[in-house]
């Protein structure tokens, strides 16, 4: 980290000058702290965008909105929770690391989940005994055993936490250099 040593001979005028520098440093720290917050929000925003851009879901047309707020980044949309945490057997095979921190249903729970029988549609890709559900899109019936957890927000938060030291060092160093 950048250090600045200020030597001050003891005199009233020198102490007044030191007091001015301390006030300026305090102001610089406040300004750089706000900039650090903006940097961290921007990092989270960029990481979430990158995660969604490299989505494993082909033809996934769900609309989602990534928004930067004054103190946070948020993602909204009808399928965001499913996409982040995954669903069904597929989601359970690679579970989200912090899913247990939220009051979400188990991966294979819900009134629409059924166990495949011998007479299931052979084009469904679902084997007898597997848990599945169906949904309609554009009038076509689809079968699914779920989707993997994308963890886009989780990875963005992790990346941002890893960059805190780097960004703080840069910003606090900037406050010192402005003296």
């Amino acid at each position: 980290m950048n250090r600045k040593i200020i030597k001050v001979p003891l005199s009233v005028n020198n102490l007044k000058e030191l007091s001015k520098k301390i006030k300026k440093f305090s102001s610089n720290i406040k300004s750089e702290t706000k900039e650090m917050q903006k940097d961290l929000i921007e990092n989270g925003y960029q990481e979430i965008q990158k995660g969604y851009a490299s989505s494993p879901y082909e033809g996934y047309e769900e609309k989602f909105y990534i928004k930067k707020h004054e103190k946070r980044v948020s993602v909204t949309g009808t399928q965001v929770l499913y996409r982040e945490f995954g669903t069904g057997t597929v989601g359970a095979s690679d579970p989200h690391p912090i899913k247990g921190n939220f009051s979400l249903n188990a991966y294979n729970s819900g009134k629409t989940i059924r166990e495949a029988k011998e007479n299931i549609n052979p084009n469904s890709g679902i084997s007898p005994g597997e848990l599945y559900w169906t949904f309609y899109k554009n009038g076509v019936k689809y079968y699914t055993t779920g989707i993997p957890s994308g963890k886009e927000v989780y990875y963005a938060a992790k990346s941002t936490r890893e960059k805190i030291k780097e960004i703080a060092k840069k910003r606090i160093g900037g406050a010192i250099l402005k003296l």
Side-chain angles (χ1 to χ4, degrees):
M1 182 177 290
N2 297 332
R3 292 184 183 175
K4 188 161 189 161
I5 297 173
I6 302 172
K7 292 182 182 184
V8 180
L10 288 177
S11 74
V12 174
N13 285 339
N14 289 339
L15 290 176
K16 284 181 183 177
E17 188 62 35
L18 179 61
S19 177
K20 286 179 189 175
K21 285 187 177 191
I22 289 171
K23 285 179 183 172
K24 183 176 181 187
F25 180 67
S26 176
S27 175
N28 291 350
I29 287 290
K30 285 178 186 174
S31 173
E32 291 297 330
T33 300
K34 286 180 183 176
E35 292 305 311
M36 184 171 67
Q37 187 176 33
K38 288 178 187 175
D39 291 348
L40 293 169
I41 289 169
E42 184 61 30
N43 181 79
Y45 181 78
Q46 295 295 329
E47 289 295 318
I48 291 172
Q49 280 190 319
K50 192 175 4 172
Y52 274 87
S54 62
S55 171
Y57 311 112
E58 279 190 41
Y60 195 75
E61 298 166 3
E62 188 258 334
K63 296 213 184 299
F64 59 90
Y65 304 94
I66 306 169
K67 296 179 183 175
K68 288 188 272 189
H69 306 276
E70 187 179 332
K71 296 186 179 184
R72 63 184 164 84
V73 177
S74 69
V75 183
T76 57
T78 58
Q79 304 296 313
V80 168
L81 280 177
Y82 300 124
R83 186 173 179 155
E84 178 70 20
F85 292 100
T87 62
T89 304
V90 177
S93 69
D94 180 23
H96 195 285
I98 61 170
K99 183 176 187 282
N101 296 358
F102 303 93
S103 56
L104 300 171
N105 291 341
Y107 283 103
N108 280 320
S109 67
K111 59 186 175 190
T112 60
I113 295 176
R114 301 178 287 284
E115 183 176 341
K117 305 293 182 210
E118 292 295 327
N119 60 353
I120 191 162
N121 182 335
N123 297 324
S124 69
I126 312 261
S127 302
E130 281 189 287
L131 296 175
Y132 77 99
W133 64 97
T134 60
F135 64 94
Y136 287 88
K137 183 175 176 182
N138 299 327
V140 178
K141 184 177 186 178
Y142 291 90
Y143 292 78
T144 184
T145 58
I147 60 171
S149 58
K151 305 176 193 94
E152 294 91 354
V153 175
Y154 172 77
Y155 288 134
K158 187 175 177 183
S159 166
T160 301
R161 279 191 299 276
E162 290 168 358
K163 290 197 176 188
I164 287 175
K165 248 184 178 175
E166 173 190 328
I167 291 171
K169 192 174 183 179
K170 173 184 150 197
R171 289 296 177 182
I172 301 305
I176 292 170
L177 289 174
K178 289 177 183 176
L179 286 177

